[in-house]
Amino acid sequence: MIKVIIGTKGTGKTKRLIEMVNSSVDTENGHIGCLEYGDGLKYDISSQVRLINIKDYGISGFDAFSGFIKGLLACNYDISSVFVDGALKITGNDLEKLGETLADLEKVVESTTITVLDSADAHSAPESVKKYIVKPKRTYNPPRTMFRAGLYIGLCKFQSVVIRLHSR
């Protein structure tokens, strides 16, 4: 199975990826790999995950990227998940070609889940990529204005009690 998490910069994609990687350590039985361009996730990801800095291997281009992932899967049948942070940094900024590469990888993936994270506009993504995009799970976080409004109402009630005490 292939999943794509795509969104513009600052939408919480990396935080979501870190949560997914660390929770998969507890829930999955196989090995977990995480590919990234650089070593920015070194301290955020569990030490049980094989963190691979793709720069160390000189991978550039879609063919090399696809071959690298296929090689990982071929040499270790116990891999249950592969997470890729910033595939377009690794391969180039061509979303159409990314869709073709994901379709190529889908042919080889059997029991492994590949999750690709990238910074791009989801609305401008081609159909070849959109079919892999997973929607984020909605969690309800009340806006701060609601909290402030509740606090304000609470203060008003308190003040009204104080006013009544003073008016007697």
Side-chain angles (χ1 to χ4, degrees), residues 18 34 36 38-47 49 51 53:
I18 292 168
C34 183
E36 70 165 329
D39 60 354
L41 300 176
K42 185 187 320 185
Y43 301 108
D44 297 319
I45 293 199
S46 170
S47 60
V49 175
L51 185 61
N53 182 352

Side-chain angles (χ1 to χ4, degrees), residues 140-160:
Y140 179 72
N141 294 326
R144 292 183 180 187
T145 55
M146 287 179 67
F147 175 74
R148 289 183 185 149
L151 182 62
Y152 180 71
I153 291 169
L155 285 176
C156 288
K157 287 180 183 176
F158 179 73
Q159 288 174 349
S160 66

